[in-house]
Amino acid sequence: MAKDEDKKSKKRKRDVVVHQEETNNTDVASPKRGRSAMNQNEAQNELDTSKPSAVFQPKNGRPWTLSIALPGSFITNVSTYDQKASLACRIARACAVFCVDEIVVFDDDPHTIPQQTQQKVNSNNKGHKGSWSSVNKQTSKTKAEVLAEVSDIDEPWHNPDQFLFHVLSYLETPPHLRRYLFQHHPNLKGAGSFTSLDMPHHMRADEWCVYREGVTLENDSHSHGQQREQGEPEKKKKKSKKGEKEKEDVFTMVECGLSAPVRIPIELPPYVRVTVKFASQAPPPGFPNLSPDQVANLEVEATSPSDPREEGGYYWGYTVRRAATFSDIYTESPFENGYDISIGTSERGVPLKSLIPGLASSKGGKQLLPLSFNHAVMVFGGVAGLEPAIAGDATLAANGITKETAGEAFDYWVNLAPGQGSRTIRTEEAVWIGLAGIREYVGNM
């Protein structure tokens, strides 16, 4: 019996060995190896979410622009610096996500000087004696003149328009330019925690684009107070024709986020922001590992800030301007013929969706948004809405526009969130809702 069991055991062992040999010879994968191969294939095809994939892809040149206007007064709705900075960052993020080209910060109550602001200015003025009321009766200063006396450290609380303008401008500026263009200021004390916008023109040194944003430098330095480094091209003298004195080549060094400054063939004052355009769409050989001389000798020129949008189709950030009154949104427009579409936002307007071509019909006599436009502006109100701002505007009041007829100040008067569950919609929320609502419309331009 023992011998028979040994024979069976040996036979089983031989069967196992033979099975392995046959598997190797015929290259038939074992279940374990099959699972391993499948896992490798799945790993290769697996969606990589470790890095952002929604990189902006330029299409054709874009002549039209989208602007928004909002009052800085909504900043006063919160009390601490961090909260105020957070609101500004939320506005900047919305504008970056939805490709807004211009932000207008307007004063929605240009004739009223807040009592606490006047008191703060008076307390900061040396030699002042007496109560706020007595001084306010004696002064004939306008609100703009009073706000001009607000100290830098008090701006977030007493000059919200300037605070919002300052922070929005800083956030739009590419990070590699900020130390040249912005001085230390109380408005920017929390800059290290500001939200990143990461827009197309916020490029890294190893990214190539035919356009870049730069800042002009002093030709004998790369940055503030630094001596010219070894390898930086010097200003060369160019020999002229007979009888003429030697002339220096005219150029300006520009820091544009590459490994070294580039050189443009015009002379500009230092520390001025400039848009540059390279001669080649493709990166030069060896990029990004170029020497300072190689970078300086790249063929590049200064161009209009609107060229990346109009010629290249890029979203190239937003500009920021201030408007002293509501009317100045229109009268001081940077565009030659102003805005051909103006959209006001109010809970008393019609649903935005009902005006968008393709999403709504023209039933009920509603005029749909046009199929194309040149420059559109969407205006948002502050804590009290747009109606008080419009009623308090002297120009509009002279034309008989009141709170009840505030919608007449716009081409379209829209409700961004019909049937809203909350009693109020905050300005920073309205901006996100409004830009998201109009995105499909402007995306089809």
Side-chain angles (χ1 to χ4, degrees):
M1 293 288 294
K3 290 181 179 180
D4 291 341
E5 290 178 358
D6 290 342
K7 287 180 181 179
K8 290 180 180 180
S9 177
K10 289 179 180 179
K11 187 175 181 180
R12 283 197 298 269
K13 290 180 180 179
R14 283 196 299 270
D15 288 344
V16 173
V17 172
V18 169
H19 176 72
Q20 290 176 343
E21 290 176 351
E22 288 177 350
T23 301
N24 291 337
N25 290 337
T26 58
D27 199 27
V28 178
S30 67
K32 185 175 182 180
R33 289 186 61 201
R35 286 195 300 271
S36 177
M38 290 175 62
N39 290 339
Q40 290 178 359
N41 291 333
E42 290 176 357
Q44 292 176 355
N45 297 326
E46 184 182 0
L47 178 65
D48 182 11
T49 59
S50 62
K51 296 181 179 179
S53 58
V55 179
F56 183 89
Q57 298 296 331
K59 299 178 182 178
N60 298 326
R62 175 168 65 89
W64 56 268
T65 64
L66 175 63
S67 302
I68 70 166
L70 74 167
S73 62
F74 85 98
I75 293 290
T76 62
N77 208 28
V78 293
S79 58
T80 70
Y81 169 85
D82 289 340
Q83 291 173 321
K84 295 174 185 294
S86 177
L87 290 181
C89 289
R90 292 178 66 179
I91 299 299
R93 281 290 299 173
C95 292
V97 168
F98 294 107
C99 302
V100 170
D101 301 295
E102 180 196 32
I103 305 176
V104 186
V105 181
F106 69 94
D107 191 339
D108 57 353
D109 192 4
H111 306 295
T112 302
I113 303 174
Q115 179 174 341
Q116 62 271 24
T117 298
Q118 183 68 73
Q119 288 175 328
K120 189 66 176 179
V121 170
N122 290 341
S123 66
N124 290 339
N125 291 333
K126 294 181 179 180
H128 163 67
K129 294 181 180 180
S131 65
W132 172 83
S133 57
S134 62
V135 173
N136 193 48
K137 291 178 181 178
Q138 296 172 3
T139 184
S140 59
K141 292 181 179 179
T142 65
K143 182 177 181 179
E145 292 172 334
V146 172
L147 293 181
E149 296 181 9
V150 173
S151 64
D152 291 347
I153 198 170
D154 292 324
E155 282 186 356
W157 293 269
H158 299 287
N159 196 353
D161 291 355
Q162 177 58 27
F163 172 77
L164 182 60
F165 172 87
H166 199 171
V167 175
L168 290 176
S169 300
Y170 178 87
L171 287 167
E172 186 278 336
T173 303
H176 63 274
L177 304 183
R178 291 171 181 170
R179 68 188 183 97
Y180 297 99
L181 300 176
F182 290 88
Q183 299 177 349
H184 291 287
H185 193 282
N187 287 345
L188 306 176
K189 67 179 182 180
S193 61
F194 285 176
T195 306
S196 171
L197 301 190
D198 204 15
M199 293 185 283
H201 63 307
H202 289 197
M203 280 177 282
R204 285 70 169 172
D206 59 350
E207 294 177 322
W208 179 262
C209 179
V210 69
Y211 300 100
R212 271 185 175 267
E213 286 297 292
V215 59
T216 59
L217 303 175
E218 297 176 357
N219 281 342
D220 59 348
S221 67
H222 279 192
S223 59
H224 296 284
Q226 293 183 351
Q227 297 296 322
R228 182 177 54 84
E229 297 178 358
Q230 186 176 3
E232 182 182 354
E234 297 181 1
K235 187 177 285 189
K236 297 180 179 179
K237 290 186 177 181
K238 181 179 180 181
K239 292 185 178 181
S240 306
K241 296 180 180 180
K242 294 181 180 179
E244 294 184 5
K245 295 181 180 180
E246 292 183 343
K247 295 182 179 180
E248 291 182 342
D249 282 339
V250 175
F251 69 89
T252 302
M253 302 305 298
V254 177
E255 169 59 54
C256 61
L258 295 177
S259 57
V262 299
R263 179 170 51 196
I264 57 176
I266 59 173
E267 190 168 5
L268 295 174
Y271 311 122
V272 173
R273 181 168 168 175
V274 61
T275 304
V276 298
K277 181 180 181 181
F278 293 90
S280 174
Q281 292 278 353
F287 180 83
N289 301 316
L290 303 178
S291 69
D293 282 340
Q294 288 175 316
V295 175
N297 289 325
L298 293 174
E299 190 175 349
V300 60
E301 63 180 1
T303 190
S304 169
S306 62
D307 280 356
R309 169 179 56 84
E310 295 178 350
E311 295 181 356
Y314 288 93
Y315 171 57
W316 212 246
Y318 55 78
T319 59
V320 192
R321 68 178 174 94
R322 287 187 58 181
T325 67
F326 175 85
S327 295
D328 288 344
I329 297 173
Y330 303 108
T331 59
E332 297 179 357
S333 171
F335 308 110
E336 183 176 357
N337 297 316
Y339 305 103
D340 50 335
I341 294 181
S342 62
I343 303 173
T345 58
S346 168
E347 62 190 59
R348 284 162 281 277
V350 300
L352 173 59
K353 189 176 181 179
S354 68
L355 302 178
I356 298 179
L359 297 180
S361 65
S362 58
K363 293 180 180 180
K366 294 177 183 177
Q367 180 183 358
L368 300 184
L369 291 166
L371 296 179
S372 64
F373 63 85
N374 295 316
H375 306 290
V377 59
M378 178 175 274
V379 187
F380 302 89
V383 177
L386 269 177
E387 287 84 353
I390 294 171
D393 185 275
T395 302
L396 296 180
N399 291 322
I401 297 181
T402 64
K403 286 184 180 181
E404 292 71 25
T405 59
E408 296 178 10
F410 306 93
D411 297 319
Y412 302 91
W413 189 233
V414 303
N415 184 353
L416 299 178
Q420 64 195 59
S422 175
R423 184 175 299 175
T424 59
I425 294 179
R426 297 176 182 271
T427 301
E428 67 275 12
E429 296 168 341
V431 170
W432 276 95
I433 298 170
L435 291 177
I438 205 172
R439 177 60 178 169
E440 187 170 351
Y441 168 64
V442 300
N444 291 327
M445 292 297 109

Coordinates of all heavy atoms in Angstrom, one line a residue, residues 94-122:
A94 N -13.9 84.0 -10.6 CA -15.1 83.9 -11.5 C -14.7 84.5 -12.8 O -15.0 83.9 -13.9 CB -16.3 84.6 -10.9
C95 N -14.0 85.6 -12.8 CA -13.7 86.3 -14.1 C -12.6 85.5 -14.9 O -12.7 85.4 -16.1 CB -13.2 87.7 -13.8 SG -14.4 88.8 -13.2
A96 N -11.7 84.8 -14.2 CA -10.7 84.0 -14.8 C -11.4 82.8 -15.4 O -11.1 82.4 -16.6 CB -9.6 83.6 -13.8
V97 N -12.2 82.1 -14.7 CA -12.9 80.9 -15.2 C -13.7 81.1 -16.4 O -13.7 80.4 -17.4 CB -13.7 80.3 -14.0 CG1 -14.6 79.1 -14.6 CG2 -12.8 79.7 -12.9
F98 N -14.5 82.3 -16.4 CA -15.4 82.5 -17.5 C -14.9 83.6 -18.5 O -15.6 84.1 -19.3 CB -16.7 83.0 -16.9 CG -17.5 81.9 -16.1 CD1 -17.5 82.0 -14.8 CD2 -18.0 80.9 -16.8 CE1 -18.2 81.0 -14.0 CE2 -18.7 79.9 -16.1 CZ -18.8 79.9 -14.7
C99 N -13.5 83.8 -18.5 CA -12.9 84.6 -19.5 C -13.4 86.0 -19.7 O -13.7 86.5 -20.8 CB -12.9 83.9 -20.9 SG -12.2 82.2 -20.9
V100 N -13.5 86.7 -18.5 CA -13.9 88.1 -18.6 C -12.8 89.0 -19.0 O -11.6 88.8 -18.5 CB -14.5 88.5 -17.2 CG1 -14.7 90.0 -17.1 CG2 -15.8 87.8 -16.9
D101 N -13.0 89.9 -19.8 CA -11.9 90.8 -20.3 C -11.7 92.1 -19.6 O -10.7 92.7 -19.6 CB -12.2 91.1 -21.8 CG -12.3 89.8 -22.7 OD1 -11.3 89.1 -22.8 OD2 -13.4 89.5 -23.2
E102 N -12.8 92.5 -18.9 CA -12.7 93.8 -18.2 C -13.5 93.8 -16.9 O -14.7 93.2 -17.0 CB -13.1 95.0 -19.1 CG -13.1 96.3 -18.4 CD -13.9 97.4 -19.2 OE1 -14.9 97.0 -19.8 OE2 -13.4 98.6 -19.1
I103 N -13.0 94.3 -15.8 CA -13.8 94.5 -14.6 C -13.9 96.0 -14.3 O -12.8 96.7 -14.2 CB -13.2 93.8 -13.4 CG1 -13.0 92.3 -13.7 CG2 -14.0 93.9 -12.2 CD1 -12.3 91.5 -12.6
V104 N -15.1 96.5 -14.1 CA -15.3 97.9 -13.8 C -15.7 98.0 -12.3 O -16.8 97.3 -12.0 CB -16.3 98.6 -14.7 CG1 -16.3 100.1 -14.4 CG2 -16.0 98.4 -16.1
V105 N -15.0 98.7 -11.5 CA -15.4 98.9 -10.1 C -16.0 100.3 -9.9 O -15.3 101.3 -10.1 CB -14.2 98.7 -9.1 CG1 -14.7 98.9 -7.7 CG2 -13.6 97.3 -9.3
F106 N -17.3 100.3 -9.7 CA -17.9 101.7 -9.6 C -18.5 102.0 -8.2 O -18.7 101.1 -7.4 CB -19.1 101.7 -10.7 CG -20.3 100.9 -10.4 CD1 -21.4 101.4 -9.7 CD2 -20.3 99.6 -10.8 CE1 -22.5 100.6 -9.4 CE2 -21.5 98.8 -10.6 CZ -22.5 99.3 -9.9
D107 N -18.6 103.3 -8.0 CA -19.1 103.7 -6.7 C -20.7 103.8 -6.8 O -21.2 104.6 -7.7 CB -18.6 105.1 -6.4 CG -18.9 105.6 -4.9 OD1 -19.8 105.0 -4.4 OD2 -18.1 106.4 -4.4
D108 N -21.4 103.0 -6.1 CA -22.8 103.0 -6.2 C -23.5 104.1 -5.3 O -24.8 104.1 -5.3 CB -23.4 101.6 -5.9 CG -23.0 101.1 -4.5 OD1 -22.2 101.8 -3.8 OD2 -23.5 100.0 -4.1
D109 N -22.7 104.9 -4.6 CA -23.3 106.0 -3.8 C -22.3 107.1 -3.7 O -21.7 107.4 -2.7 CB -23.7 105.5 -2.4 CG -24.5 106.5 -1.6 OD1 -24.9 107.5 -2.2 OD2 -24.8 106.3 -0.4
P110 N -22.0 107.8 -4.9 CA -20.9 108.7 -4.9 C -21.1 110.0 -4.2 O -20.1 110.8 -4.1 CB -20.8 109.0 -6.5 CG -22.2 108.8 -6.9 CD -22.8 107.7 -6.1
H111 N -22.3 110.3 -3.6 CA -22.5 111.5 -3.0 C -22.6 111.4 -1.4 O -22.6 112.4 -0.7 CB -23.9 112.1 -3.5 CG -23.9 112.3 -4.9 ND1 -23.1 113.1 -5.7 CD2 -24.7 111.6 -5.9 CE1 -23.4 113.0 -6.9 NE2 -24.3 112.1 -7.1
T112 N -22.5 110.2 -0.9 CA -22.6 110.0 0.5 C -21.3 109.7 1.1 O -20.7 108.7 0.6 CB -23.6 108.9 0.9 OG1 -24.9 109.3 0.4 CG2 -23.7 108.8 2.4
I113 N -20.8 110.4 2.0 CA -19.6 110.1 2.7 C -19.9 109.4 4.0 O -20.5 110.0 4.9 CB -18.8 111.4 3.0 CG1 -18.5 112.2 1.8 CG2 -17.4 111.1 3.7 CD1 -17.8 113.5 2.0
P114 N -19.6 108.2 4.2 CA -19.9 107.5 5.4 C -19.4 108.2 6.6 O -18.2 108.7 6.6 CB -19.3 106.1 5.2 CG -19.1 105.9 3.7 CD -18.9 107.3 3.2
Q115 N -20.1 108.3 7.7 CA -19.7 109.0 8.9 C -18.5 108.4 9.5 O -17.6 109.2 9.8 CB -20.9 109.0 9.9 CG -20.5 109.7 11.2 CD -21.7 109.8 12.1 OE1 -22.8 109.7 11.7 NE2 -21.4 110.1 13.4
Q116 N -18.4 107.1 9.5 CA -17.2 106.5 10.1 C -15.9 106.8 9.3 O -14.8 106.9 9.8 CB -17.4 105.0 10.3 CG -17.6 104.2 9.0 CD -19.0 104.1 8.6 OE1 -19.8 105.0 9.0 NE2 -19.4 103.1 7.9
T117 N -16.1 106.9 8.0 CA -15.0 107.2 7.1 C -14.5 108.7 7.4 O -13.3 108.9 7.5 CB -15.3 107.1 5.6 OG1 -15.7 105.7 5.4 CG2 -14.2 107.5 4.7
Q118 N -15.4 109.6 7.4 CA -15.1 111.0 7.7 C -14.4 111.1 9.1 O -13.4 111.8 9.3 CB -16.3 111.9 7.7 CG -16.0 113.4 7.9 CD -15.2 114.0 6.7 OE1 -15.8 114.2 5.6 NE2 -14.0 114.3 7.0
Q119 N -14.9 110.4 10.1 CA -14.3 110.4 11.4 C -12.9 109.9 11.4 O -12.0 110.4 12.0 CB -15.2 109.6 12.4 CG -16.5 110.3 12.7 CD -17.4 109.4 13.6 OE1 -17.4 108.2 13.5 NE2 -18.2 110.0 14.5
K120 N -12.7 108.8 10.6 CA -11.4 108.2 10.5 C -10.4 109.1 9.9 O -9.2 109.3 10.4 CB -11.4 106.9 9.7 CG -10.2 106.1 9.8 CD -9.9 105.5 11.2 CE -8.7 104.6 11.2 NZ -8.4 104.1 12.6
V121 N -10.8 109.8 8.8 CA -9.9 110.8 8.2 C -9.6 111.9 9.1 O -8.5 112.4 9.2 CB -10.6 111.3 6.9 CG1 -9.8 112.4 6.3 CG2 -10.6 110.1 5.8
N122 N -10.6 112.4 9.8 CA -10.4 113.5 10.7 C -9.4 113.1 11.8 O -8.6 113.9 12.2 CB -11.7 114.0 11.3 CG -12.6 114.6 10.3 OD1 -12.1 115.1 9.2 ND2 -13.9 114.7 10.6

